[in-house]
Amino acid sequence: MAKAINAGLRQAMLDDPKVVLLGEDIGLLGGVFRVTSDLLAEFGARRVIDTPLAESAIIGTAVGLAYRGYRPVCEIQFDGFIFPGFDQIVSQVAKLHYRSQGRVSMPITIRVPFGGGIGAAEHHSESPEAYFTHTSGLRVIAVSNPQDAYGLIRQAIASDDPVLYFEPKRRYHVKGEVSPELGAPMERAQVVAAGTDVTLLCYGALVTTARDVALAASDDGVSIEVIDLRSLSPVDYETIEASVRKTGRLVITHEAARSGGLGGEIAAVVTERCFDYLEAAPVRVTGFDIPYPPAKLESHHLPDLDRILDGVDRALGRRR
């Protein structure tokens, strides 16, 4: 997946000379996860810019570049480092198009490696996506596989809207075939496993886990439909609702904490729109409402196959 993102960045830079990359250690080092490897050698230091350790400066500079017609792509080294740039993102990047009555566009892509599972400390393992899905004016997407990683980074960079592009860092080494086609529009969810008994909604790293859950449940005679959300804002409720009307049950899983998480909003909307089709209340399987735990304990914090299967059982009324 890391190579797929690299290939998508490279193609976007070849297609448009106004695409520039900014971030800490993205040039000579190629990024902490080597996602930008070799791009400095190919495109030079005026387009692959090693920045100071200052996220507010990275995002603020991107705002100025966007004003001048560029398409900046910012790398936030780790999810928990995004908060020094939070003011620029929610107060400027998200607002300037609306504030200027459409005269100013902010075609900024902000790449955010997110989530746990790599044995790192708290500020290297967080899932801050809900802060940004709450902010009007931002697109928020999360990728789960190499093909989407390639297609969606190119779509994000080509978009005239600002995009938060979340990359699950524990899936960087997942392998898969990658076509040069861009695939489905980035605002569309995808059904990655068809089923009839329960809808299982997920995104990012947990899509792989959800596929394993569907396989394990099939041995017990339970048919699970797995949906990769892909776009966290806007949410593709059309795809979700069609699935829930078929299955009558919904389980939502994400690594982020339960309280204020995206799963609660989706559960509320689905309940409002599909109340007459639901056989049970939606179930959430999430991280706990605690600061991210030490590495030795993260396996207990992250939703895994057993916890999600338990959520499926609750949706089926097999346990409380």
Side-chain angles (χ1 to χ4, degrees):
M1 189 166 74
K3 288 183 178 180
I5 299 170
N6 179 282
L9 292 169
R10 181 179 181 274
Q11 190 60 53
M13 296 179 79
L14 289 171
D15 290 343
D16 187 347
K18 292 292 188 179
V19 175
V20 296
L21 312 185
L22 303 87
E24 300 162 5
D25 298 320
I26 68 167
L28 288 174
L29 183 65
V32 169
F33 299 103
R34 306 299 188 265
V35 172
T36 53
S37 290
D38 301 323
L39 296 180
L40 174 65
E42 183 169 358
F43 296 100
R46 293 178 66 87
R47 295 188 66 192
V48 182
I49 303 166
D50 274 324
T51 67
L53 305 183
E55 286 74 18
S56 60
I58 294 170
I59 305 301
T61 300
V63 171
L65 286 166
Y67 257 111
R68 299 292 293 181
Y70 289 87
R71 292 184 177 272
V73 182
C74 306
E75 178 182 297
I76 303 299
Q77 200 170 75
F78 284 93
D79 33 39
F81 298 174
I82 199 168
F83 300 111
F86 189 82
D87 181 30
Q88 283 78 10
I89 295 171
V90 302
S91 299
Q92 306 299 329
V93 174
K95 305 289 197 302
L96 281 167
H97 184 72
Y98 181 83
R99 186 185 300 157
S100 66
Q101 296 183 324
R103 290 189 293 271
V104 175
S105 294
M106 286 284 113
I108 299 172
T109 301
I110 303 172
R111 293 181 40 241
V112 188
F114 84 124
I118 63 167
E122 57 180 3
H123 294 312
H124 301 70
S125 304
E126 297 172 341
S127 297
E129 59 271 17
Y131 293 112
F132 302 104
T133 61
H134 184 71
T135 303
S136 298
L138 299 173
R139 289 182 180 269
V140 183
I141 59 179
V143 297
S144 66
N145 61 79
Q147 181 62 62
D148 274 356
Y150 174 80
L152 268 60
I153 192 65
R154 289 186 59 193
Q155 290 186 47
I157 294 169
S159 173
D160 287 333
D161 298 324
V163 180
L164 273 290
Y165 178 95
F166 282 92
E167 310 164 7
K169 59 179 80 78
R170 63 172 154 145
R171 303 300 186 204
Y172 274 135
H173 299 295
V174 168
K175 293 179 171 60
E177 294 295 324
V178 175
S179 163
E181 302 298 323
L182 297 185
M186 62 181 174
E187 63 270 14
R188 302 296 295 181
Q190 288 193 321
V191 176
V192 297
T196 57
D197 297 329
V198 179
T199 298
L200 177 55
L201 185 65
C202 51
Y203 56 87
L206 289 180
V207 175
T208 299
T209 309
R211 285 177 176 271
D212 293 338
V213 168
L215 184 62
S218 67
D219 292 338
D220 197 29
V222 177
S223 175
I224 295 179
E225 181 148 292
V226 179
I227 296 178
D228 180 355
L229 194 56
R230 298 172 84 238
S231 177
L232 313 187
S233 180
V235 173
D236 178 10
Y237 282 110
E238 181 180 346
T239 298
I240 299 170
E241 290 169 28
S243 178
V244 170
R245 289 191 179 102
K246 176 175 62 174
T247 66
R249 293 175 172 84
L250 175 65
V251 176
I252 306 163
T253 186
H254 54 65
E255 291 187 21
R258 179 186 179 94
S259 295
L262 184 60
E265 173 65 19
I266 293 174
V269 173
V270 170
T271 300
E272 290 170 353
R273 299 185 182 182
C274 301
F275 184 80
D276 291 339
Y277 295 89
L278 286 168
E279 302 291 340
V283 173
R284 289 173 287 167
V285 182
T286 69
F288 299 110
D289 292 341
I290 58 172
Y292 198 88
K296 289 184 178 180
L297 298 175
E298 70 175 348
S299 62
H300 301 288
H301 178 73
L302 297 172
D304 60 11
L305 185 143
D306 288 335
R307 284 183 60 199
I308 298 173
L309 280 173
D310 180 78
V312 170
D313 282 344
R314 283 185 280 139
L316 290 168
R318 294 178 171 182
R319 64 181 67 184
R320 293 173 180 249

